[in-house]
Amino acid sequence: MKVTVRVDVERHVRDEAARQLAVQGLTIDDTVRIVLEQAAAGCGPDFGALVPNPTTVEAIEAARRGEVVELGTPAEAIAELNRDD
């Protein structure tokens, strides 16, 4: 059975959080659900995992645009990543 969780925060905090989370493809609901599920599993929330670095953000955005690079086998992918440009 699902329940509703209510949280009181300042409007500007909610709005900025929603903006920051949207960059990662998350909603406030998604984030609260993840934190609660981690807590229920006996784990503390890993807030660092919710903040991708700029390279990861660009990779996510490129994938959403359909800019996907096929690298073949894992060994081929590693060789490509280690290749000097």
Side-chain angles (χ1 to χ4, degrees):
M1 173 172 85
K2 290 189 177 186
V3 298
T4 299
V5 175
R6 183 171 179 256
V7 178
D8 291 323
V9 300
E10 297 292 329
R11 182 179 304 271
H12 73 278
V13 172
R14 182 206 58 197
D15 293 346
E16 181 61 17
R19 190 181 73 74
Q20 293 288 337
L21 291 166
V23 171
Q24 302 168 57
L26 295 169
T27 65
I28 290 173
D29 287 350
D30 294 331
T31 306
V32 171
R33 190 171 26 261
I34 290 167
V35 169
L36 292 176
E37 288 172 354
Q38 287 180 338
C43 305
D46 183 1
F47 293 109
L50 298 177
V51 182
N53 64 37
T55 301
T56 301
V57 171
E58 176 53 33
I60 291 168
E61 291 172 355
R64 288 181 178 156
R65 292 189 302 265
E67 300 170 10
V68 179
V69 177
E70 296 292 330
L71 296 174
T73 68
E76 291 168 332
I78 290 171
E80 178 63 24
L81 291 170
N82 290 328
R83 182 174 60 92
D84 289 331
D85 288 333

